[in-house]
Amino acid sequence: MVICPLKALMTSSPNKNRLTEAAYQCLPGGPLDVDKGLYDEVAATASVEPSLRTLVESFILPIRSGKAWEVRKGDICRIVAVEGAQVGDLNIWSLYNPRERFWASRTRQLQRAHVSVYDQLWSTLPYLRPLVTITGDSLKNYGVDGSGTDAEGGRVHDLLGTRCDPYVNRMLTGQDNDYHCHSNLTRAVLPYGLTEFDVHDVLNVFQCTGLNDKDQYFMKTCPAKKGDYFEFMAETDILCALSTCPGGDLSKAMWGEGATETTNADPTLECCRPLGVQVYHLPDRWLAKRGWKEALPNGPVYKGRHALKEVSFSTAFKE
């Protein structure tokens, strides 16, 4: 797969302003078009044919903690609000090559700023492939009349922001906090030989955010309720890591106006809840019979070598 060709980017409906349409168009049969029928079948195995799913891993992630786990290609991963509203910060890597990891900003361009069913989470250059496809989202109809947007412009499953971290916390408050999402994810990946430098921009699962009238990022109280879920299918073998955000459901300020000035108080602790993770395997060849294939990197397709040219030493040093 390659990104949309120029002619696709310039395709415009006569009734719309081309300059305000999506820069990366999803055209039928194009590289951004997904087989919705296939992913509908995958989603249906959760309710219509649950016997097709075999549970291969399940755990509860406590508050203010992080954990990493593997998801094999074609397997399904579900994140569940087991006790109520709670934001989770999600990182994803290619299992065998951590240099290939989830690319939040490009996904924001290729898909949208808040993702849901049928959206794919793309990897970094030079790989550029979908790591997962979202197959289930109990909050997909969030907002006014199921539009996806609430009265204040908030949407869920956010790619606008990133993880909270102890460095920004120190800058804003003058205090240290070791349980921000960046730190939780750092601890989570250490058993896999990764470090803080491998932690990257996240998908904020269940988080409700938007831009205000000053074009500034805002975070609202998480709308998830007990039993709400976010589910995706792995398009290749991946390593996932999830943090239960120390802000919990974000109903109370973590810093700035509205946050406590008492060092010993922790106003957000009562807002924190655990998250559940379940990984399911479908019957062997179930996906293959429906035409699914593992997503392959786009890197080998590009042959231009960034306009660099090899020069032989005999030519380079000839007088």
Side-chain angles (χ1 to χ4, degrees), residues 62-65 83-87 177 179-180 184 244-255 258-260 262-274:
I63 66 170
R64 298 183 171 180
S65 64
E83 293 185 9
Q86 170 66 42
V87 169
N177 186 320
Y179 295 92
H180 280 293
N184 295 344
T244 41
C245 182
D249 62 13
L250 304 184
S251 60
K252 294 188 177 182
M254 295 174 68
W255 48 68
T260 181
T262 307
T263 9
N264 295 327
D266 192 345
T268 59
L269 185 59
E270 64 187 45
C271 307
C272 293
R273 300 170 185 88

Side-chain angles (χ1 to χ4, degrees), residues 196-207:
E196 175 181 3
F197 296 102
D198 295 295
V199 174
H200 51 279
D201 282 352
V202 300
L203 168 61
N204 291 299
V205 180
F206 299 135
Q207 185 164 314

Side-chain angles (χ1 to χ4, degrees), residues 107-120:
T107 298
R108 195 164 60 238
Q109 292 177 314
L110 296 179
Q111 307 291 168
R112 44 184 169 166
H114 298 82
V115 292
S116 189
V117 176
Y118 307 130
D119 287 325
Q120 299 185 305

Side-chain angles (χ1 to χ4, degrees), residues 4-275:
C4 294
L6 181 60
K7 65 179 181 179
L9 303 184
M10 300 188 68
T11 301
S12 176
S13 165
N15 299 319
K16 293 183 179 180
N17 180 354
R18 178 184 63 81
L19 298 180
T20 59
E21 287 187 343
Y24 297 86
Q25 295 286 314
C26 179
L27 301 178
L32 299 182
D33 190 24
V34 300
D35 184 348
K36 293 183 178 180
L38 168 66
Y39 294 109
D40 285 342
E41 285 193 74
V42 171
T45 62
S47 54
V48 181
E49 298 181 282
S51 61
L52 290 176
R53 292 191 174 196
T54 301
L55 184 66
V56 294
E57 184 169 10
S58 178
F59 59 87
I60 300 294
L61 186 60
I63 66 170
R64 298 183 171 180
S65 64
K67 181 176 174 62
W69 71 98
E70 299 175 13
V71 184
R72 301 293 172 167
K73 59 187 175 186
D75 284 357
I76 302 161
C77 182
R78 175 175 285 210
I79 300 172
V80 185
V82 290
E83 293 185 9
Q86 170 66 42
V87 169
D89 286 42
L90 179 67
N91 265 190
I92 304 175
W93 298 260
S94 168
L95 181 58
Y96 305 111
N97 176 17
R99 287 190 173 184
E100 181 182 9
R101 60 193 192 186
F102 169 49
W103 191 5
S105 57
R106 181 61 86 187
T107 298
R108 195 164 60 238
Q109 292 177 314
L110 296 179
Q111 307 291 168
R112 44 184 169 166
H114 298 82
V115 292
S116 189
V117 176
Y118 307 130
D119 287 325
Q120 299 185 305
L121 306 184
W122 292 76
S123 69
T124 49
L125 299 179
Y127 311 100
L128 192 62
R129 61 173 163 176
L131 294 173
V132 308
T133 301
I134 300 167
T135 55
D137 174 13
S138 63
L139 295 177
K140 64 182 179 181
N141 296 322
Y142 171 78
V144 180
D145 298 325
S147 65
T149 308
D150 63 27
E152 296 173 301
R155 295 174 177 266
V156 290
H157 310 312
D158 159 49
L159 287 175
L160 284 174
T162 188
R163 62 207 181 278
C164 56
D165 67 81
Y167 307 106
V168 169
N169 187 85
R170 181 73 187 183
M171 177 184 70
L172 295 177
T173 70
Q175 300 173 19
D176 288 335
N177 186 320
D178 301 329
Y179 295 92
H180 280 293
C181 290
H182 180 83
S183 298
N184 295 344
L185 292 168
T186 296
R187 296 194 308 276
V189 298
L190 289 177
Y192 288 87
L194 304 184
T195 72
E196 175 181 3
F197 296 102
D198 295 295
V199 174
H200 51 279
D201 282 352
V202 300
L203 168 61
N204 291 299
V205 180
F206 299 135
Q207 185 164 314
C208 183
T209 67
L211 300 175
N212 64 20
D213 57 2
K214 296 180 181 179
D215 207 27
Q216 296 170 318
Y217 180 69
F218 68 77
M219 302 184 294
K220 294 186 63 178
T221 301
C222 171
K225 295 180 173 57
K226 182 178 179 179
D228 275 324
Y229 63 88
F230 180 85
E231 181 178 279
F232 54 84
M233 191 187 89
E235 298 288 347
T236 187
D237 292 335
I238 57 174
L239 175 69
C240 298
L242 184 68
S243 163
T244 41
C245 182
D249 62 13
L250 304 184
S251 60
K252 294 188 177 182
M254 295 174 68
W255 48 68
E257 186 177 354
T260 181
E261 295 181 359
T262 307
T263 9
N264 295 327
D266 192 345
T268 59
L269 185 59
E270 64 187 45
C271 307
C272 293
R273 300 170 185 88
L275 289 172

